[in-house]
Amino acid sequence: MSKTVLSHELVHFLDHLKKIDWTDVKALARSEIRASKFSLECHNHYGANLWEGGSFAEPETCTISQQFKNCVRDRAIDSVKIITHCNTAKARSIVDEVFEKSFSEEL
């Protein structure tokens, strides 16, 4: 767990070095998307399911890569909701607005 938290926070540190405006909720959402993508939090979740013989929901219609994206999106929504004290619908709207571009970014 400590590696997961550390890798997540290191992505935020890299964003901080880029002079991100932490008061901008869209910038915050972009950083949360990147941190969830590049940290180990979603990688471990799906890797554990595969190695423990678990099954993914609706495997015929939902690919692992789509489930990975869903995990990243859900983690970012939760983070934005907690940090900004907004409701789930507002956090989802903010994250969805910047998700595709942010998810495709490199470190």
Side-chain angles (χ1 to χ4, degrees):
M1 173 151 160
S2 60
K3 290 178 186 177
T4 303
V5 172
L6 183 58
S7 62
H8 182 103
E9 295 307 322
L10 283 172
V11 174
H12 289 316
F13 178 70
L14 291 173
D15 286 342
H16 182 72
L17 292 176
K18 295 176 184 176
K19 307 290 187 206
I20 187 173
D21 178 4
W22 294 107
T23 63
D24 177 356
V25 292
K26 290 180 184 176
L28 170 65
R30 286 190 294 271
S31 185
E32 289 299 341
I33 291 164
R34 290 164 39 76
S36 293
K37 176 185 174 187
F38 293 114
S39 71
L40 302 172
E41 56 198 282
C42 290
H43 297 266
N44 286 349
H45 176 73
Y46 292 110
N49 277 346
L50 285 173
W51 290 111
E52 292 171 8
S55 63
F56 295 114
E58 303 176 31
E60 301 84 20
T61 60
C62 190
T63 64
I64 292 172
S65 62
Q66 183 59 49
Q67 289 189 21
F68 174 71
K69 284 179 88 169
N70 291 345
C71 176
V72 169
R73 179 181 277 113
D74 290 346
R75 299 277 185 163
I77 290 168
D78 287 345
S79 293
V80 169
K81 184 172 90 170
I82 290 167
I83 294 166
T84 65
H85 306 286
C86 68
N87 63 38
T88 302
K90 178 67 175 172
R92 180 176 285 113
S93 174
I94 294 165
V95 169
D96 285 347
E97 188 174 339
V98 298
F99 186 81
E100 290 303 325
K101 183 175 188 250
S102 302
F103 189 83
S104 66
E105 291 176 353
E106 299 294 326
L107 270 177

